[in-house]
Amino acid sequence: PNVELAGHVIGFVGRDHIGLEGLEVSQDLILRGHSGTLPGTKDARGQIIYTHGLPAESPPQGYSMRLTLDKRIQYIAEKELKKTVNDFEAKSGVTVVMEPKSGELLAIGVYPSFNPNSFSSYGPSVWRNRAITDAFEPGSTFKIFLAAAALEEGLVDPNDLFYCEQGKYRILNHTVHDLKKFSWLSLEQILRFSSNIGAVKVAEKLGQNRFYHYVRTFGFGSSTSIGLPGETAGLIRPADEWSPVDLAAASFGQGLSVSAMQLAMALGAVANDGLLMRPLLIKEVVDGQGRVVR
């Protein structure tokens, strides 16, 4: 009813009323209900005559779902996402708005968008919900989880200093660079100035096994079980396959891949005193009389 709004989440059905994308396919059995057959004949005008009398009751109807999405927030998120993608001449973009305490998703925006009422005018590349199907290198956003791991292990304090090599740090046959030449930075400053070399120094102190443990504990490398089709788990290689260069790259979010939904939920855990929530999209299921059945 709202044309493109939340189209990637809601999805669509085919001509046979069977779900093909989004919640329409993942929750198809709940939404569709059961069909029934009643014997009858048609008169010359095409009207049905029930030869065995009127049906005693209509076939069971499907249930309805109330989502956690906030229509106003969803509209603003999609509008700003479209503007940002166009401003930076990007090919696509996603946005996720989530309430950290409950895990309730208030908006999931994907651009380019499409109208589920006329889905055949687009194509599979536009239909997919990139917030859960696409994996990408998270980049410097990953430094947050590195810092959390080091703090949790008691290896560093926010004010501990790390020498950042004046912008160049060689690891085996690779050189890590910073955008600016930094000398000594605290952990807090490493995050503030997004120093790659500083992140590498913290990761070296933490070690690949402990860092890998926290990466997985934050939910990366596993499905979030959001209940939408095509969700990616991303790619986090086992710690015993990491070289010193792999550890360095992982410290600033390269050499591994995550989904936007995983990233949003992991950041929500930081805001939620370390408690990682499961994303909540379906708030309740109701029957035809509006009674909550789940």
Side-chain angles (χ1 to χ4, degrees), residues 1-21:
N2 294 290
V3 196
E4 295 184 358
L5 196 70
H8 288 89
V9 176
I10 296 170
F12 51 83
V13 299
R15 291 182 179 180
D16 55 3
H17 305 296
I18 294 177
L20 298 176
E21 283 289 347

Side-chain angles (χ1 to χ4, degrees), residues 41-259:
T41 59
K42 288 185 178 181
D43 62 17
R45 296 181 178 179
Q47 294 176 324
I48 296 177
I49 300 172
Y50 292 105
T51 53
H52 296 279
L54 290 173
E57 59 182 19
S58 60
Q61 300 298 308
Y63 293 115
S64 295
M65 290 178 175
R66 291 179 179 146
L67 306 183
T68 59
L69 298 183
D70 183 300
K71 188 160 70 172
R72 180 171 178 269
I73 296 175
Q74 180 73 32
Y75 172 78
I76 294 171
E78 289 190 16
K79 180 182 177 182
E80 293 302 318
L81 176 62
K82 179 179 179 180
K83 180 180 182 300
T84 303
V85 169
N86 290 331
D87 285 349
F88 288 92
E89 299 180 351
K91 291 182 179 180
S92 62
V94 299
T95 181
V96 177
V97 182
M98 184 265 296
E99 209 293 311
K101 297 291 182 185
S102 64
E104 289 191 9
L105 295 160
L106 306 180
I108 303 175
V110 180
Y111 187 83
S113 57
F114 76 100
N115 180 359
N117 299 300
S118 56
F119 65 89
S120 59
S121 301
Y122 304 84
S125 63
V126 180
W127 297 341
R128 76 179 191 271
N129 188 340
R130 296 171 183 267
I132 63 165
T133 64
D134 289 19
F136 57 92
E137 289 185 327
S140 288
T141 57
F142 223 62
K143 292 171 184 170
I144 296 171
F145 312 113
L146 170 70
L151 289 168
E152 182 72 13
E153 287 292 303
L155 297 174
V156 298
D157 290 322
N159 297 320
D160 284 354
L161 296 176
F162 294 83
Y163 184 59
C164 294
E165 308 288 343
Q166 297 295 331
K168 288 185 180 181
Y169 183 44
R170 191 157 185 83
I171 303 172
L172 299 180
N173 58 340
H174 290 74
T175 302
V176 178
H177 297 272
D178 274 337
L179 289 176
K180 294 182 178 179
K181 294 180 179 180
F182 297 114
S183 55
W184 291 93
L185 293 179
S186 66
L187 178 63
E188 181 182 352
Q189 291 172 323
I190 288 171
L191 289 179
R192 185 195 308 173
F193 300 125
S194 195
S195 168
N196 290 341
I197 295 172
V200 173
K201 293 293 185 77
V202 176
E204 288 174 340
K205 196 167 186 177
L206 182 63
Q208 64 194 52
N209 289 319
R210 282 188 290 192
F211 188 28
Y212 175 82
H213 166 74
Y214 280 96
V215 167
R216 293 305 307 269
T217 305
F218 268 111
F220 299 111
S222 303
S223 166
T224 66
S225 301
I226 188 176
L228 287 171
E231 182 179 11
T232 180
L235 179 61
I236 310 293
R237 290 187 295 112
D240 57 11
E241 297 180 7
W242 291 15
S243 70
V245 175
D246 293 325
L247 174 62
S251 73
F252 48 85
Q254 294 184 11
L256 41 79
S257 63
V258 306
S259 71

